[in-house]
């Protein structure tokens, strides 16, 4: 298994819809294993294929949960069904999110409290589970990556302006920027 570089906001693959996986083969399973290794090295709770430069509809997660889902898994070609998202402002103390592709910063974001996930594992076998609370947030965050969205694209204006300033200050927004977990400093200080 290999730790892969994580793409940073501005890399084109992060900003376009990923394509469906059509072939479930050893190459796919190797990518999935590398994604798990990369997520672990980055101390992440989830990682989508576009975050490692691959425009395919795949994400992995590692999050202990109270739902009937395994604490670690992969979903290929996921379909998401969500509960309604509250129109209330996000709580800055309770609903802060971060992203390995927007490294180092966290901003509040309102998400649905419940999600149903359907898709496939790395062997093409059906996967279906429900997620609630923070686990639902993790699933929504990773799914967004597959549609070419980062959580900073969903922020309220006030936080979106702060995120844009951070991106500008760091020189993000251009192709070719990555960081390598386990080699580069952990942007979230784990």
């Amino acid at each position: 298994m290999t730790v892969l570089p994580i793409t940073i906001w501005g890399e084109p693959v992060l900003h376009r819809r990923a394509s469906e996986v059509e072939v479930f083969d050893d190459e796919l399973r190797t990518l999935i294993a590398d994604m798990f290794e990369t997520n672990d090295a980055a101390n992440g709770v989830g990682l989508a294929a576009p975050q490692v430069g691959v425009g395919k509809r795949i994400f992995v997660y590692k999050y202990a949960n109270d739902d009937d889902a395994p604490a670690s898994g992969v979903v290929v070609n996921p379909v998401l069904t969500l509960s309604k998202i509250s129109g209330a402002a996000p709580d800055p103390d309770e609903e802060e999110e971060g992203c390995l592709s927007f490294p180092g910063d966290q901003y509040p974001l309102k998400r649905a409290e419940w999600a149903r996930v359907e898709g496939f594992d790395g062997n093409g076998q059906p996967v279906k589970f429900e997620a609630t609370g923070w686990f639902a947030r993790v699933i929504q965050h990773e799914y967004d990556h597959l549609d070419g969205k980062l959580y900073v694209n969903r922020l309220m204006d006030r936080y979106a302006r702060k995120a844009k300033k951070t991106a500008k200050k760091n020189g993000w927004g251009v192709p070719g920027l990555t960081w390598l977990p386990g080699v580069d400093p952990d942007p979230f200080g784990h």
Side-chain angles (χ1 to χ4, degrees):
M1 293 183 287
T2 304
V3 173
L4 304 170
I6 296 178
T7 58
I8 293 176
W9 183 80
E11 184 64 35
V13 71
L14 289 172
H15 304 286
R16 65 176 171 254
R17 188 179 193 281
S19 61
E20 300 284 325
V21 171
E22 296 178 7
V23 178
F24 292 79
D25 59 7
D26 287 341
E27 187 177 326
L28 174 68
R29 287 182 284 281
T30 297
L31 172 62
I32 291 168
D34 291 347
M35 288 174 63
F36 274 115
E37 186 80 8
T38 303
N39 190 52
D40 284 348
N43 298 300
V45 294
L47 185 71
Q51 293 182 273
V52 294
V54 178
K56 294 289 182 186
R57 297 187 74 74
I58 308 162
F59 69 77
V60 299
Y61 67 89
K62 184 176 181 180
Y63 190 81
N65 62 82
D66 294 329
D67 300 300
D68 288 332
S72 177
V74 60
V75 186
V76 178
N77 297 337
V79 174
L80 227 57
T81 305
L82 302 174
S83 63
K84 185 178 178 180
I85 300 172
S86 165
D91 183 326
D93 296 322
E94 300 291 326
E95 296 178 300
E96 248 185 10
E97 249 177 72
C99 180
L100 297 174
S101 289
F102 203 90
D105 281 6
Q106 296 175 297
Y107 302 100
L109 178 65
K110 192 61 90 174
R111 294 275 193 185
E113 285 292 316
W114 173 89
R116 180 175 37 242
V117 183
E118 297 178 68
F120 302 92
D121 68 13
N123 296 312
Q125 297 301 309
V127 171
K128 182 178 181 179
F129 60 87
E130 293 182 5
T132 58
W134 269 97
F135 185 39
R137 177 179 296 273
V138 169
I139 297 303
Q140 291 167 77
H141 180 110
E142 299 313 324
Y143 184 85
D144 274 355
H145 279 297
L146 306 182
D147 283 343
K149 294 184 178 96
L150 277 72
Y151 86 106
V152 292
N153 299 121
R154 295 187 177 277
L155 297 175
M156 294 173 40
D157 286 345
R158 172 172 121 197
Y159 300 116
R161 285 190 299 275
K162 287 182 180 181
K164 284 180 185 174
K165 285 180 184 176
T166 295
K168 184 176 180 178
K169 179 182 89 179
N170 289 314
W172 300 341
V174 297
L177 300 177
T178 62
W179 69 279
L180 188 60
V183 173
D184 294 323
D186 183 327
F188 293 99
H190 297 109

